[in-house]
Every structure is written in structure tokens, then in C-alpha cells.
Amino acid sequence: MALADNLSITALVVSLIALFIALLQLSQSFLGTAEGYRRCAESVIGAWHKLRHRHWRWSEFRFETQYVTPQILVTSASEFAAAQEQHEIYKLAHPSMLNSPDCPELRETVHGHPKAHQTSVSQSKSSQQKNGNGHGDDPEKGVVRRSGIIDMAEQAMSLVILPVSIKRRRKRATANELKVTWLHLLGELHNLYYSYHPSNCENCANARIPTKWTVADENHKPGECPLDKLPEKKRPELKLTKEATDSRPPIDTINDPHFSVGKTDAAVIYRQWTWDFMPPDTVKPLAEATVGDIVILARRMDMQWRELDLQNSRIQAEGNGYSLTSTEVKGLGIVLRFSSIGRHGAFPRIIPSKAGDKLICGIVPGCPALVRTDFEIVRPDRSIPRVHAPGGVLADLGVPDDICLEIAGKKGGHPGGGDYQETDTECLILLCAFLPLPHSTIVSYNFFGLRPGPGVRKSVFHFWEGRWALFHKLTERVEQLSTSQTPAARQLFTDLSSVHASFSHLESFYRHDFYCRWGRAVITHAGALRPLQSESDRATNKEGLVEFCRNAFDDTTRYLAAPGREMHEEVNGKTRYLHLVAGHVVMAHKAIREALAFVDHQPKEQREQGALRRKYGFDPPGPGARAGNFVFQQQVEIGLRYAQHLRHGEHGVRRYLLERAMEFEEEEVEGMWWNLMLRGVVWDMGSWGRGGEEVGERVPSAFYGDRTPVWIS
């Protein structure tokens, strides 16, 4: 009996073991139906593996793998708010969002494990105390440097922010190759937008940002961004007609979704996918983006576009130690691979706004108050037509073809004699919105339509000689009007006195900038270290210059839109302001031709630097001189002749406006034109262009806002 019982128990145990094994095999077979689950492991997508799960589908009697990856996008505040209503979305460099318990995987991606990050911060502090802040002095470069043994590319790929030896980094290289490249990209985009607003990230600010980049706000706390709050309006609002007020917002709005003055951020939308719909060639979870956003982000990271051929699915960009390459996957489209190919320099500090993004794509962001439209400059073949070319900007402004041909030097007996760069530059500047954001000293923009840097962007707005000539003629005109007693002359005296005061302030308090002495100019310096307290502070402070230029720009907007002028109203489908700009370009063409002819006929000895300084009464070169270091006579004569041709009976600005049914008195047109000149000067002095060969291939304007989806491996 005992033996039988033992045999029964043994048989029962064996049966149970067999049943257990069978259940394991059955479970394994069911779990094995969750295709792609192991491809969403931590070794592949890092912290995002926590969001994967198996979903049982009774109709198919199997498991389905569901996972979450980011959609990367560039968004304004209004667009972000609209997206929040439909999606789970977070900004990549926003302190409260990254510290939210709702997105721990995003926080771990950009900062690493919290304990590892704390160790990194303490070690970074000690390293800075020993070696200084480790950042260069280039004013328009970003502040995230990669130096010493901490390689930021390795840091983002490994998700562990710890200084490690070369030997350990070599050992983990194989593991990093398994990870998706969009983890690395998210970390770099966080660094990029954090470099725009250094106090925007509590976790990063103390470790990697020198104090000279701190926003000048004594009430500003780490982790807060002043651009996340609308500034208090200290100036009177622009008063428009009811029709205009109903159709557009006030000019002080900085987060408007329709125009170009809003701040932008990199953001991430949490997208849930199922592996069932992934093409067979897909081996890793992919992040999503759009062509328009990738074009902008790559340029902001200082990559140069080498190829943008969507028709043949070829996209390539490289620069600053980064690389973007593409492959085509059937059933999916373009898949990008982001990688590090060398050491990384600092990010260029391009203005983080919709206007800055549009300029990257070769679009002139029109002033929202007076222009109210944008102008695409770079054609699909990457060419940039002159403003007077068929289908160019002047045609958009309503200038007749015969006048465009005359400006091009192809009509009127002047073959090849009228193709001047000044008309292009001044036209585009006068159409553009003011670029720098409030409370920010980031002033750089990247635009192919304007030549970059000092000495090459021909215009009376950019050359000190042209500014001096305008200031000189304005001073003469104000002195002349001061003795007139007619009502029109007295009103014009009042209007021009305000413009003259702005010119005088710029020339007196920002003399190095006004006279283009770039080595001492505040526009090329890092910015404010403390709140502005006096005019002497503003005289040596970048934020003070940008603030003054913004206020002067807004003053010209209010003047031009005031009752009686109403340059924001439309005539023949264009705002009156657009006709005013076109009238200036037509007049300027004649004045430039005359000025250049005069200079060309000057004897050689009269064109020497010493002779020119004596002729125009310029000071010798020096830190306090009321003149630049070199005299370019052409720009002096162009500026002087602008004022002379303003009232010309055949091609003056008033004549042009009258031909388009805009009846203004001569004094009214003169007041508007001088405000136009001030507007161009403060726009140029308040921003700094980047461009030329360093920016690689031109980006066609059609790529801005292109919603064609691309995937990132």
C-alpha cells in the first residue's frame, strides 16, 4: 500500500511538472506572438521601454506590442497650447515640464538618471572652479561646450551623465550602437534650446552656463524663463481702425500663431504605435518629425544642408560634429539617422522665434502691423532672384514691370547700369519684422537674402557712411524747419524732431555700433550682466541697445499707422506701407545711379582716405571718433542723395504714391519717409546676420512648414 502511494505521489509530481512545462511552453508561444516586443527593450530605446506593453487581442487570439516614441517638432506658444488639447506634449527645455512626474522617460533621456546627474553637476562645478567656465567668448555662439573628458555626444547616447575614462567609453561603444539615434538627438535638442535660455533648466544651469549669459532681471529665478510670460506693456498700444483691429492683434503680442514675432521651442509629443503596422525592414522603434521642422533644427544645430531632395528620398546634412543621413524604407518613407562624426562646437545663438525659423528657410517675415504677409525669397532651384526680377518682391509690391526693367538696367538706355545691391537689401529690411525677442540678447539670424557680417551688406542702413549721411541731412532739415511758421512745416518739424532724437541717441550712446567699429560694438558682445539702471549702463550694454531699437521701431510703426496716415490699410490689395516701401526703392534706384556716377568721375587723389575725411568733415580714426575706421564714399553720396531725391518731381516718393491713388501732402510723405529710414537703421543695428559660405546649401522657402513626415531611427 505504501509503495502504491509513493508511486501515485511520484506520478502526480511528474504530471504537475509536465503540466507546468506545458504551460510555460504555451505561455511562451502566446507571448511570442507579441512581435517587436524585444525590439523595444531598454537596451534599444532607453527609458522609453517603460511605456511598452502587450495588448491581448481576442479576435486574433494573440498579443499585440504597443509602444511609445516621440514626435519632435518646433512650436510656438499658441501652437503648443492647441496641441495640448489633443496630445501629451512637453517642451524639451522647460523646467516645470521636464520635472513633471508625467514624463520621467523624457527627463531621463535629456538629463540621465537623477543620481548620475547629481554626480555630474558636482563634478562639473569642481571642474569649473579649477579650469574656469570652459566657454569661449564668441558672442553669437551657444554656451554648451564639449570639452575635457566629458564628451556630450557619448553622454546623450549613453544616458548616463558621468565622466568616464577613455577605456570605459570604448567598452560601451557596442552597447550604444544598439540604441536608437533619436535618444541622442533629444539630448542635443535640449542642450540647444537650453543654450537660448540658460536659466530655463534648473538641472543644467548651475553646471554648464557662465553668469555672463544670465538674463538681466534681478527678480529672475533659476528655472524660470521671462519669455514664458508676456512682458508688462509700458508703452501705449497702437490705435487702429475697427476693421484693422478686428483682423489682427496688437503689435506687442509676442506669442502670436499667425505672424512672425512669437518665441518657438522644441517640443515632444508622445505617440503610441503598434508594431503590427511597422514594415518588415524596421528593426528599431522610430521617432517621428516633419521635413520643415528637421530643416530648421539641423540649421540651428549648425549643420549645413548638403542635399534636400524629397523626390528621390535623399536628405543629408552635416556640420558641428553632427550628421544626418537618409534611407528609404518601403511602406514608410524617408528614415533619418542622426550621429556624431566629430567634436562639437558651440551652437549658434539664432533668435528662437518664428521669424528666425522663416529666415532660415529664406522667407522674409513681414511686419505683422504694417506688412501682414511674408515673402518667399529662395526658389525651389535654390536661386535668389533680385527684388526687381520677374515675379520678385517688387512685383509682389505692385511695382509695374516697366519700372522693374528700368531698375534692372534693361530699359531707358542704361543696359547693365542699374543693378544695385542697395535696393535689394533696403527693400527686404523695410519689409521685415523686428527680430530680437523681448528681454533677450540673442540677435543673430541666418538668412541668405541678406549678405552677412560687416562691410558686405550694402545699404545706408548697414554702412556707417549711409547712417551719417542720413543723420547729417536730417539735422539740416530740422534746423531749416525750426524757423518755419506754416502749420504743415511746424507739424513736420515736430515729427522729424522725434526721428532726429532717436538718431542722436544712437550716435551718442552707441557710437561704436553706429559707426560700425565692430571690435567695440555692444551688438557683438555677450549681453547684460545686471539690470539696466541708467543711460550710462545702456551705453555699454547690449540689452540696452536692442531695447532702444525695439522701442524706436515700434514708434515708427505707431507713427505710420496713426490716423491720417494709416499705412496698415489696404489699397489695391496691398497695405499702404508696401506702396511706401516700393516708392522708396524706385526713388533710391535713381539716387544710387547718380551717386555712383559722381564717385566714378572723382579724381583719384580726391578719393583717398585723408581727402575724403577732410571733404566730409570726418574725425580721424579713434575710439571716440564720430566716424568709422574706413570711409566708403559711395555710401556717403548715396545717403546724401536719398534726401535730395525724396521730393523729386518725376521719381520722388510722393509722385509714386499719387500714381496709386494715395494723396498725401509733400510734408506728410517726408515725415513718413524719415520714419522709414529710422526704421531701417534700428532694425539693422538691433540684429546681426549670419550667412555666406558657412551656412552650406540654401534652403528653398517651400520647405518652411513642410508637413511631409520623416522618421528617425
Side-chain angles (χ1 to χ4, degrees):
M1 187 67 180
L3 179 61
D5 291 341
N6 291 337
L7 289 175
S8 300
I9 293 173
T10 302
L12 179 60
V13 171
V14 172
S15 300
L16 291 175
I17 294 175
L19 177 62
F20 178 72
I21 294 174
L23 290 175
L24 286 179
Q25 291 175 338
L26 181 63
S27 300
Q28 184 180 15
S29 65
F30 279 122
L31 293 176
T33 63
E35 185 181 357
Y37 188 81
R38 287 176 294 179
R39 296 180 180 182
C40 304
E42 183 177 9
S43 59
V44 180
I45 61 174
W48 295 77
H49 81 283
K50 302 171 186 177
L51 301 178
R52 66 173 175 168
H53 67 276
R54 300 180 183 91
H55 176 69
W56 178 255
R57 300 183 66 87
W58 283 103
S59 60
E60 301 175 14
F61 211 67
R62 68 177 182 87
F63 281 105
E64 174 187 72
T65 299
Q66 295 183 351
Y67 62 96
V68 174
T69 58
Q71 177 187 347
I72 302 171
L73 68 157
V74 179
T75 178
S76 67
S78 297
E79 293 166 342
F80 183 87
Q84 272 187 315
E85 298 178 359
Q86 303 178 10
H87 307 289
E88 187 179 357
I89 182 172
Y90 305 96
K91 294 181 181 178
L92 274 172
H94 193 282
S96 61
M97 292 185 185
L98 286 180
N99 292 329
S100 169
D102 298 329
C103 59
E105 44 289 321
L106 181 60
R107 180 172 61 254
E108 188 171 335
T109 300
V110 300
H111 287 151
H113 192 276
K115 293 183 178 179
H117 176 75
Q118 292 173 4
T119 306
S120 149
V121 170
S122 61
Q123 292 179 348
S124 297
K125 287 182 179 179
S126 62
S127 175
Q128 287 183 357
Q129 291 174 356
K130 293 179 180 179
N131 304 320
N133 57 40
H135 303 291
D137 293 328
D138 190 337
E140 291 312 318
K141 293 291 186 179
V143 293
V144 179
R145 290 276 185 179
R146 285 83 169 171
S147 59
I149 62 174
I150 304 179
D151 189 310
M152 291 296 292
E154 295 286 353
Q155 167 184 320
M157 288 290 286
S158 66
L159 301 182
V160 179
I161 311 181
L162 283 171
V164 293
S165 65
I166 299 297
K167 182 177 180 180
R168 285 184 60 191
R169 280 188 291 181
R170 287 177 178 173
K171 287 183 178 180
R172 74 182 185 198
T174 303
N176 286 336
E177 291 174 359
L178 298 176
K179 289 187 181 294
V180 289
T181 65
W182 49 261
L183 292 174
H184 183 188
L185 179 59
L186 288 177
E188 292 301 327
L189 292 179
H190 170 76
N191 293 335
L192 170 65
Y193 279 84
Y194 155 62
S195 73
Y196 296 149
H197 311 298
S199 299
N200 234 19
C201 183
E202 290 181 303
N203 295 323
C204 300
N206 295 330
R208 303 208 304 263
I209 295 296
T211 55
K212 74 174 185 177
W213 293 102
T214 302
V215 177
D217 184 354
E218 60 185 350
N219 297 318
H220 185 61
K221 299 178 181 179
E224 293 181 349
C225 177
L227 293 178
D228 289 332
K229 302 177 181 179
L230 292 178
E232 181 181 354
K233 297 179 181 179
K234 300 179 180 179
R235 307 176 61 78
E237 289 191 10
L238 175 63
K239 302 299 183 181
L240 305 178
T241 61
K242 183 180 185 300
E243 292 77 9
T245 304
D246 291 341
S247 62
R248 52 162 300 279
I251 64 173
D252 290 332
T253 304
I254 69 168
N255 286 315
D256 192 277
H258 304 295
F259 298 110
S260 305
V261 290
K263 172 194 166 210
T264 55
D265 293 281
V268 162
I269 292 177
Y270 278 46
R271 292 287 193 185
Q272 187 174 42
W273 309 95
T274 174
W275 195 268
D276 292 352
F277 298 103
M278 291 294 104
D281 295 339
T282 305
V283 296
K284 297 178 182 179
L286 304 176
E288 185 185 6
T290 63
V291 169
D293 290 338
I294 285 293
V295 164
I296 292 170
L297 292 173
R299 192 57 215 109
R300 287 187 173 277
M301 294 176 69
D302 213 14
M303 283 190 271
Q304 302 172 6
W305 281 106
R306 304 302 183 189
E307 196 169 16
L308 275 171
D309 186 358
L310 298 185
Q311 186 174 0
N312 296 309
S313 300
R314 291 202 297 265
I315 295 180
Q316 182 182 3
E318 60 183 30
N320 197 23
Y322 303 112
S323 173
L324 267 177
T325 55
S326 67
T327 57
E328 184 177 9
V329 176
K330 291 183 179 181
L332 198 60
I334 300 176
V335 177
L336 301 177
R337 177 179 175 81
F338 177 74
S339 58
S340 292
I341 57 176
R343 296 194 63 82
H344 314 305
F347 296 122
R349 305 188 80 223
I350 299 174
I351 299 167
S353 67
K354 293 180 72 69
D357 294 342
K358 290 179 180 180
L359 289 169
I360 288 174
C361 295
I363 299 175
V364 176
C367 170
L370 299 176
V371 178
R372 298 165 64 181
T373 188
D374 297 334
F375 298 86
E376 296 186 357
I377 302 300
V378 183
R379 292 177 173 175
D381 61 358
R382 291 177 172 78
S383 64
I384 300 179
R386 304 299 297 270
V387 296
H388 50 67
V393 174
L394 287 187
D396 292 339
L397 300 186
V399 178
D401 292 341
D402 58 337
I403 296 181
C404 291
L405 290 173
E406 183 179 352
I407 292 177
K410 299 178 181 179
K411 182 181 178 181
H414 302 282
D419 201 3
Y420 307 126
Q421 188 190 97
E422 288 85 352
T423 54
D424 292 53
T425 304
E426 291 168 13
C427 178
L428 298 182
I429 287 177
L430 293 174
L431 295 175
C432 194
F434 192 78
L435 298 179
L437 294 168
H439 308 299
S440 174
T441 57
I442 303 177
V443 297
S444 287
Y445 60 89
N446 178 198
F447 181 50
F448 283 101
L450 297 176
R451 297 190 180 182
V456 293
R457 190 163 69 238
K458 288 185 178 180
S459 163
V460 296
F461 303 148
H462 185 69
F463 277 51
W464 73 265
E465 298 91 342
R467 297 172 185 171
W468 174 89
L470 292 175
F471 187 31
H472 176 72
K473 298 300 290 186
L474 178 60
T475 302
E476 288 184 349
R477 183 62 173 148
V478 170
E479 291 176 352
Q480 178 186 1
L481 290 170
S482 64
T483 59
S484 287
Q485 298 301 322
T486 63
R490 296 304 300 169
Q491 182 60 49
L492 181 59
F493 172 76
T494 301
D495 296 343
L496 296 193
S497 295
S498 176
V499 177
H500 185 272
S502 295
F503 268 99
S504 179
H505 184 93
L506 290 170
E507 196 271 346
S508 299
F509 286 95
Y510 304 100
R511 186 166 297 174
H512 295 304
D513 293 80
F514 190 86
Y515 291 112
C516 302
R517 294 193 284 266
W518 305 119
R520 296 174 178 266
V522 300
I523 197 66
T524 59
H525 291 168
L529 300 183
R530 60 188 185 282
L532 305 181
Q533 297 175 346
S534 66
E535 289 300 318
S536 61
D537 284 336
R538 287 178 169 81
T540 57
N541 195 285
K542 181 177 181 179
E543 188 184 8
L545 172 60
V546 176
E547 174 191 354
F548 181 84
C549 289
R550 183 196 326 280
N551 292 338
F553 189 91
D554 288 349
D555 285 342
T556 64
T557 300
R558 293 182 174 87
Y559 178 88
L560 293 170
R565 292 176 283 270
E566 295 162 340
M567 289 286 106
H568 58 283
E569 292 190 348
E570 292 189 359
V571 174
N572 300 324
K574 316 287 181 185
T575 64
R576 290 180 175 180
Y577 178 81
L578 294 180
H579 293 294
L580 178 64
V581 172
H584 165 75
V585 173
V586 172
M587 178 275 294
H589 162 70
K590 301 285 188 179
I592 293 170
R593 178 187 298 172
E594 181 180 297
L596 298 186
F598 172 81
V599 173
D600 290 342
H601 287 86
Q602 290 290 297
K604 183 177 180 180
E605 59 273 11
Q606 295 185 16
R607 287 186 282 177
E608 295 179 352
Q609 289 296 297
L612 291 176
R613 290 186 182 275
R614 290 190 295 271
K615 175 181 176 66
Y616 298 110
F618 294 149
D619 295 339
R626 297 197 164 200
N629 296 326
F630 183 86
V631 181
F632 189 39
Q633 188 182 15
Q634 290 182 344
Q635 293 300 314
V636 179
E637 292 297 330
I638 289 173
L640 294 175
R641 278 165 174 74
Y642 275 6
Q644 296 171 5
H645 283 252
L646 170 61
R647 290 173 172 257
H648 198 281
E650 296 182 0
H651 56 260
V653 177
R654 181 171 182 263
R655 172 68 179 271
Y656 184 89
L657 296 178
L658 286 175
E659 292 175 351
R660 281 142 190 86
M662 285 173 279
E663 297 184 1
F664 292 101
E665 298 298 328
E666 197 71 66
E667 291 80 5
E668 292 177 310
V669 174
E670 184 175 358
M672 292 187 292
W673 183 82
W674 278 111
N675 273 272
L676 200 67
M677 295 300 98
L678 174 61
R679 188 180 182 88
V681 170
V682 297
W683 186 97
D684 190 90
M685 290 185 65
S687 55
W688 186 263
R690 302 180 75 248
E693 296 180 356
E694 65 173 334
V695 298
E697 289 288 334
R698 297 167 180 166
V699 177
S701 300
F703 278 96
Y704 180 80
D706 190 324
R707 310 316 295 174
T708 302
V710 293
W711 306 89
I712 306 169
S713 66

